[in-house]
Amino acid sequence: MYRWEITRAALAQRVFAIIRTESYDQAAATADTLISAGIRSLEISLTTPFALEVVTTLTREVGQEALIGAGTVLDVPSARMAIDAGARFLVSPALDAEVIRTGHRYGVPVFPGVATPTEIVRAMELGADALKVFPASDHSPRWIKDIRAALPQAPLLPTGGVTVEDAPDWIAAGAVACGMGAALAEGDRDAVAKRVADLLARLASAAPAATTS
């Protein structure tokens, strides 16, 4: 897949799951639950113990069923190791030009963290494939709407504080997708499946008409 195809697939559901746990086993189990529930894009945070092994195992086991990326990618060595482990996309809480260049060198999209209009413009100039608005808890859907009034070309991904309840508001304001962590995976498999199905339907309904055709 080309980089733009991976980006499109990673954000197609308008939500991607962020897995940050205290062990390999917890990460693998959470990923399995979310994939079974219908989530097709998962970011494994490198703060998780043995995160690269989780990426490798999931990438091998899920095949084309889901896209597995790496999160909290802070520098070039981490980016390269994540790519070698099989990560299909890279996510960072910060904006680092070399991380973006490393991902692109190997055909892997990069979603760096941004928090201001200046960082948004800089990230786009560096060729970022989408922009992680982090932490979203410091902003609001209205902020996304205001930013996109001036920068309608900015593909924004609010992450960090987005809830199941307000995720549709972010999409309605113009975000291309939301990153969600523990709030998406709480409870047993039946509870997660029901939550995911309901959320995906609400996100699709919230999306502006121009993006749903």
Side-chain angles (χ1 to χ4, degrees):
M1 296 173 72
Y2 292 109
R3 209 174 76 225
W4 68 267
E5 293 177 296
I6 298 171
T7 300
R8 186 173 184 176
L11 306 179
Q13 290 183 309
R14 302 181 181 87
V15 63
F16 60 96
I18 301 167
I19 297 179
R20 181 181 291 108
T21 63
E22 296 180 356
S23 71
Y24 172 99
D25 290 340
Q26 287 179 340
T30 300
D32 178 66
T33 297
L34 289 168
I35 292 170
S36 296
I39 292 293
R40 296 294 174 256
S41 183
L42 298 91
E43 166 197 330
I44 309 301
S45 172
L46 296 188
T47 58
T48 297
F50 302 102
L52 295 176
E53 287 82 351
V54 177
V55 170
T56 298
T57 299
L58 290 175
T59 300
R60 182 180 65 247
E61 292 182 350
V62 304
Q64 299 301 312
E65 186 178 0
L67 285 172
I68 308 300
T72 323
V73 179
L74 301 180
D75 50 36
V76 170
S78 298
R80 181 59 195 270
M81 287 189 295
I83 293 167
D84 288 345
R88 304 298 300 280
F89 60 91
L90 305 178
V91 187
S92 176
L95 175 58
D96 186 294
E98 292 305 315
V99 169
I100 295 174
R101 292 191 184 103
T102 300
H104 289 181
R105 187 174 297 123
Y106 298 100
V108 175
V110 181
F111 311 151
V114 296
T116 68
T118 299
E119 291 179 345
I120 289 170
V121 172
R122 178 60 176 155
M124 289 192 294
E125 290 173 344
L126 292 170
D129 301 276
L131 313 175
K132 172 179 175 174
V133 176
F134 180 81
S137 56
D138 279 354
H139 301 291
S140 69
R142 176 69 194 198
W143 187 85
I144 293 283
K145 187 174 182 179
D146 290 344
I147 288 291
R148 293 198 74 255
L151 299 169
Q153 72 275 32
L156 304 176
L157 312 172
T159 305
V162 177
T163 68
V164 173
E165 290 72 26
D166 67 16
D169 296 333
W170 292 96
I171 298 301
V176 294
C178 295
M180 298 182 64
L184 200 58
E186 291 177 337
D188 59 24
R189 294 176 76 91
D190 289 342
V192 174
K194 184 177 184 304
R195 181 183 304 117
V196 168
D198 177 67
L199 177 62
L200 293 178
R202 292 170 61 217
L203 293 178
S205 296
T211 66
T212 58
S213 59

